Amino acid sequence: MANISCSSKGISIFLFLCIFFHSSALAAKTRHFKWAVEYMHWSPDGLENVVMGINGQFPGPTIRAKAGDTLHIELTNKLHTEGVVIHWHGIRQFGTPWADGTASISQCAINPGETFVYRFKVDKAGTYFYHGHYGMQRSAGLYGSLIVDVAESQKEPFHYNGEFNLLLSDWWHKSSHEQEVDLSSNPFRWIGEPQTLLINGRGQYNCSLAGKFSKSSINPPCQLRGNEQWAPQILHVQPNKTYRLRVASTTALASLNLAIGNHKMVIVEADGNYVQPFSVEDMDIYSGESYSILFTTDQNPSNNYWISISVRGREPKTPQALTILNYSPNSPSKLPTSPPPMPPLWNNYTHSKAFSSKILALMGSPKPPSNYDRRIILLNTQNRIDGYIKWSINNVSLTLPSTPYIGSIKYGLKNAFDLKSPPENFPLDYNVVKPAKNQNSTYGSGVYTLRFNTSVDVILQNANALAENVSEIHPWHLHGHDFWVLGYGEGRFTKEDEKKFNLKNPPLRNTAVIFPYGWTALRFVADNPGVWAFHCHIEPHLHMGMGVVFAEGVQRLRKIPNEALGCGLTAKLFMNKKGN
């Protein structure tokens, strides 16, 4: 419980705050979980495969807590040959940066047979999720939902009658280990498009729930009893009610479009932050993003309706994923009478940009600092290093050290990583719409050291990849912070583009997209002591080096738990101290 001293001599507002903080502290709980991570046989899409699960579940168990609660998760690694960590996506980890769950950055990987305790506070209500952050374990299925409700004494700024949760992902029949080898090979082998899109870990391969509407023999109607691991989870609703749909995307590759047949959706939350409500027929959701959507069951109650997700930004070679919105008392297995919603064309970026531009902070939300203290411009390119294809930021492809940054910086270890700071910009003559003439890049493990409590602008600059006329969507996720999305633009960012920044009501997010050949401007305050990853949330892109590392206020940290640092040079440091 918080140790707050309240004087009876204070003014009424102070007394109110004292009562509020005391009641909040009394209401907050510590929630205990005991988890074991292991591989197991599972059928996510009708074809049995090996998945990574927790306590025999895929996806992993859903965590539900209230703002102010402390989570105590005792995680045991039951994998036989590899380490594991779990990142609590969107949780800022104030005061507990070693619990962020990033291997080689905030902690050592948890070795086979070992147990590590994640203990941290969930300080802000919202829709979040968790996932593996070691190798490509997210591609192997290591993920689950994390939902934080408002504290006992608080209310949401909107009303609803019921709630559902959708965790979206993509699935390959090729193992994540084989994918890692493919991506690290010379000649390069791309992993290809996913075989299936999953909704709450369930999808259908080589058949379709809407097969009766298709003339194709490739996806005939699915033959389901309803109790299969890959059978869809149907959403049961009552007519004339308003429901909250929490949606998060932990996809490894796919950007998605979500629609509910015949129903409008009102967006009210993005990445754990309230937004000014706005209505859409369909919405894009990129890997790492989460939303809350309100919809009203105001359609003909004698019908059921499709919920669909479709691929965006890549030529779709993966079929839509579907489930059913079931109006009671209809039979849940009664198929909708119309075909599934038609998604926008995969490369209709005008549609995608229009949606992103509508996301604005709820009135009364925190505003960004009016100026920045430091600006870092990050050029996203595909390059070659000794013939190997890599993703690079300002011509540097990230490699992670064997000693976690948080320990090596805290204890002043000089040989743990590159001490030279990475580039903060790229050459003036670089043409972002053409493949680079010099396609050679370098590996690097350097860190951007940020002055504590300063305002930092990051400009994400997209460019052409190695092939002609190819520039991809990249969703970027920042650990340890929310940032304000100040704006988007076309082509190369210039000083003139600052005039387009939205400083009035930009949304607070932890994940933001850059569109092909464009830029996205972000601003955040470096007020959270720790070392934080900032990276493309597409799993193969991160594996190929598409990320950077920020460090701020590390010397302000209290003692870092030894359990987080039992590898590399910090392990030797502790052994030497014991020996002395």
Side-chain angles (χ1 to χ4, degrees), residues 270-287:
D271 294 353
N273 296 285
Y274 298 125
V275 300
Q276 201 63 36
F278 65 97
S279 177
V280 290
E281 303 283 343
D282 63 83
M283 60 170 287
D284 286 349
I285 179 167
Y286 303 98
S287 178

Side-chain angles (χ1 to χ4, degrees), residues 220-357:
C222 295
Q223 303 298 319
L224 285 161
R225 297 184 305 276
N227 60 348
E228 296 90 348
Q229 290 175 336
W230 52 285
Q233 287 186 344
I234 294 170
L235 278 59
H236 303 283
V237 296
Q238 299 288 333
N240 301 312
K241 302 286 185 184
T242 297
Y243 291 89
R244 180 181 191 169
L245 186 63
R246 296 182 183 265
V247 188
S249 175
T250 185
T251 54
L253 175 66
S255 301
L256 301 172
N257 182 268
L258 169 72
I260 307 174
N262 290 45
H263 291 72
K264 287 191 174 179
M265 301 182 290
V266 177
I267 315 297
V268 293
E269 177 219 339
D271 294 353
N273 296 285
Y274 298 125
V275 300
Q276 201 63 36
F278 65 97
S279 177
V280 290
E281 303 283 343
D282 63 83
M283 60 170 287
D284 286 349
I285 179 167
Y286 303 98
S287 178
E289 291 187 328
S290 62
Y291 291 94
S292 281
I293 299 153
L294 300 182
F295 68 93
T296 301
T297 50
D298 54 3
Q299 297 301 301
N300 183 345
S302 63
N303 290 332
N304 288 335
Y305 301 88
W306 296 111
I307 297 174
S308 68
I309 58 171
S310 310
V311 172
R312 302 286 292 129
R314 307 182 69 85
E315 188 171 358
K317 295 175 182 173
T318 309
Q320 277 182 314
L322 298 168
T323 190
I324 294 171
L325 188 70
N326 166 232
Y327 271 66
S328 179
N330 284 341
S331 165
S333 60
K334 178 183 176 183
L335 292 176
T337 54
S338 303
M342 278 290 292
L345 286 174
W346 67 271
N347 57 355
N348 183 349
Y349 297 117
T350 302
H351 185 85
S352 300
K353 292 171 185 176
F355 173 75
S356 293
S357 297

Side-chain angles (χ1 to χ4, degrees), residues 7 9 30 55 140-141 152 154 160 162 167 193 220 307 314 403 478 483 502 511 541 557 570 577:
S7 167
K9 296 177 182 178
T30 298
N55 293 356
E152 206 69 55
Q154 304 297 299
Y160 52 95
L167 185 63
E193 301 304 305
I307 297 174
R314 307 182 69 85
T403 304
L478 178 59
F483 49 68
N502 173 16
T511 304
H541 290 185
L557 292 171
T570 43
K577 284 184 178 180

Side-chain angles (χ1 to χ4, degrees), residues 43-73:
S43 183
D45 62 1
L47 191 72
E48 188 175 81
N49 217 312
V50 172
V51 306
M52 195 173 279
I54 297 173
N55 293 356
Q57 296 181 44
F58 169 76
T62 295
I63 292 177
R64 191 123 201 177
K66 290 184 181 294
D69 285 352
T70 295
L71 301 186
H72 179 107
I73 300 145

Side-chain angles (χ1 to χ4, degrees), residues 479-526:
H479 293 229
H481 303 80
D482 285 342
F483 49 68
W484 290 273
V485 183
L486 302 185
Y488 307 89
E490 309 291 331
R492 180 170 181 149
F493 177 83
T494 68
K495 195 78 174 169
E496 284 294 302
D497 289 316
E498 285 187 42
K499 297 174 183 176
K500 304 172 187 174
F501 284 1
N502 173 16
L503 298 176
K504 181 183 175 184
N505 58 351
L508 266 173
R509 307 292 302 266
N510 61 57
T511 304
V513 62
I514 43 170
F515 294 104
Y517 301 112
W519 56 263
T520 299
L522 316 174
R523 182 169 293 174
F524 70 96
V525 178

Side-chain angles (χ1 to χ4, degrees), residues 37-39 50-54 58 75 77-87 101 103 109-112 118 130-144 169-171 175-177 179-180 250-252 539-540 542-543:
V37 176
E38 57 193 334
Y39 282 110
V50 172
V51 306
M52 195 173 279
I54 297 173
F58 169 76
L75 186 78
N77 179 2
K78 288 196 172 181
L79 309 173
H80 296 296
T81 58
E82 61 191 291
V84 71
V85 295
I86 290 185
H87 169 55
I110 307 162
N111 290 323
Y118 288 101
Y130 61 85
H131 60 81
H133 216 295
Y134 181 67
M136 290 179 62
Q137 291 178 344
R138 180 156 52 96
S139 295
L142 184 53
Y143 45 73
S169 55
D170 42 13
W171 185 248
S175 76
S176 61
H177 298 302
Q179 291 181 43
E180 288 176 358
T250 185
T251 54
E539 189 85 317
L542 175 58
H543 182 73

